[in-house]
Amino acid sequence: EFVFQELTTGELLKCCAVSHSWHDMALIAMSSSVKEVYIVDCVDSEAVSSLLQKFRSLESLRLQYVKILGAQSLGQSPEFECFSSVNSLQIQRCDTQEAIGFLQNFPNLRSLGLSGVNVDDDVISAIEPMGKLQVIDLSGTRITDHGVALLACLCELRELSLRGADIGVESIESLILGAPDLELLDVSGVRGPLTNGCIARLCARCTALSTLSLSRVPGVSLGPAAEAAAGLPGLTRLVAA
């Protein structure tokens, strides 16, 4: 079953695959203007591959509970040139190693979400070449302080979510040194411990922060965090309960 959202002009804007049924792919292929694709719950990697070949101007792709093909299967094919136009990719609950290989097909991403995917620091090798990345969500992954240190070197990084990750104060120090232009940082529920001192240094260095989430982080308390954040001119949201 496919769900479509159409503009008043009849131009197809969005496609959402919500089941195992693929018999309507021909209908999708009739439109070359699809910008967003959302595929859910499919273990047939060949079906996913065939579907993605139909689009030539994708901008956003979201895969959830999907068996996907790796770089060896997809990356060598000119049929997947559509991936060069994708600027937002969200992968949730997909096969780990295939997901890492799959990332290599998206050179122009600006937003990448791997929330809840069982990846570790090895995924950084696929992320590092993405020089245009501005938004990264690695919440619920097995990323460590070492991986965050590598991510901090991405010069365009503006938003980073690491909720529940196995990181500590070393990651904050890496971001202080390497990512001074951060606008959003979410480290809620990380292993920690962090310190009020490192949060103060973070706020003094990353003055563009507008959202800072520090809830359920060992070593961080609301009072000192609020005091440290008071000097952030653009801060609109602070969570440190």
Side-chain angles (χ1 to χ4, degrees):
E1 179 184 358
F2 290 93
V3 179
F4 302 104
Q5 176 182 341
E6 295 192 27
L7 298 176
T8 55
T9 59
E11 179 185 30
L12 188 60
L13 173 67
K14 186 173 183 179
C15 159
C16 179
V18 295
S19 76
H20 296 280
S21 175
W22 299 92
H23 62 277
D24 286 333
M25 275 200 302
L27 176 60
I28 298 175
M30 293 172 60
S31 174
S32 61
S33 61
V34 175
K35 303 298 183 184
E36 302 177 35
V37 174
Y38 179 19
I39 303 176
V40 186
D41 194 18
C42 181
V43 296
D44 187 343
S45 59
E46 292 186 2
V48 174
S49 174
S50 296
L51 175 62
L52 293 177
Q53 289 180 35
K54 308 300 179 183
F55 307 108
R56 290 293 180 266
S57 56
L58 284 183
E59 295 179 0
S60 177
L61 176 61
R62 180 179 176 188
L63 305 175
Q64 186 172 14
Y65 297 103
V66 172
K67 176 67 175 179
I68 56 179
L69 298 174
Q72 185 174 2
S73 301
L74 284 180
Q76 307 301 321
S77 174
E79 294 175 317
F80 289 89
E81 292 179 356
C82 60
F83 289 159
S84 64
S85 64
V86 175
N87 57 59
S88 177
L89 175 64
Q90 306 292 319
I91 299 177
Q92 297 176 308
R93 305 298 191 274
C94 296
D95 181 270
T96 302
Q97 293 304 316
E98 294 291 348
I100 292 176
F102 192 59
L103 293 179
Q104 299 176 15
N105 298 289
F106 298 86
N108 297 312
L109 286 182
R110 295 187 179 274
S111 177
L112 173 64
L114 295 174
S115 178
V117 178
N118 188 30
V119 293
D120 55 21
D121 291 344
D122 290 342
V123 76
I124 305 301
S125 63
I127 294 178
E128 280 185 300
M130 300 177 184
K132 298 179 181 179
L133 265 181
Q134 296 181 336
V135 179
I136 302 176
D137 187 352
L138 293 170
S139 300
T141 66
R142 294 186 291 119
I143 198 78
T144 70
D145 292 321
H146 174 69
V148 174
L150 297 175
L151 285 177
C153 297
L154 296 174
C155 60
E156 296 295 324
L157 187 60
R158 296 296 182 269
E159 300 184 11
L160 181 60
S161 297
L162 298 166
R163 294 187 308 276
D166 187 26
I167 65 169
V169 67
E170 294 87 351
S171 289
I172 302 301
E173 298 293 351
S174 295
L175 294 173
I176 291 172
L177 292 174
D181 297 322
L182 274 180
E183 299 172 5
L184 180 151
L185 178 62
D186 188 347
V187 291
S188 301
V190 299
R191 166 182 55 84
L194 303 184
T195 66
N196 293 320
C198 79
I199 298 304
R201 291 192 295 276
L202 174 73
C203 293
R205 171 68 167 167
C206 301
T207 56
L209 278 170
S210 61
T211 299
L212 180 59
S213 297
L214 304 163
S215 61
R216 306 183 312 281
V217 178
V220 175
S221 52
L222 178 58
E227 183 178 353
L232 294 171
L235 189 69
T236 58
R237 185 168 186 264
L238 172 66
V239 182

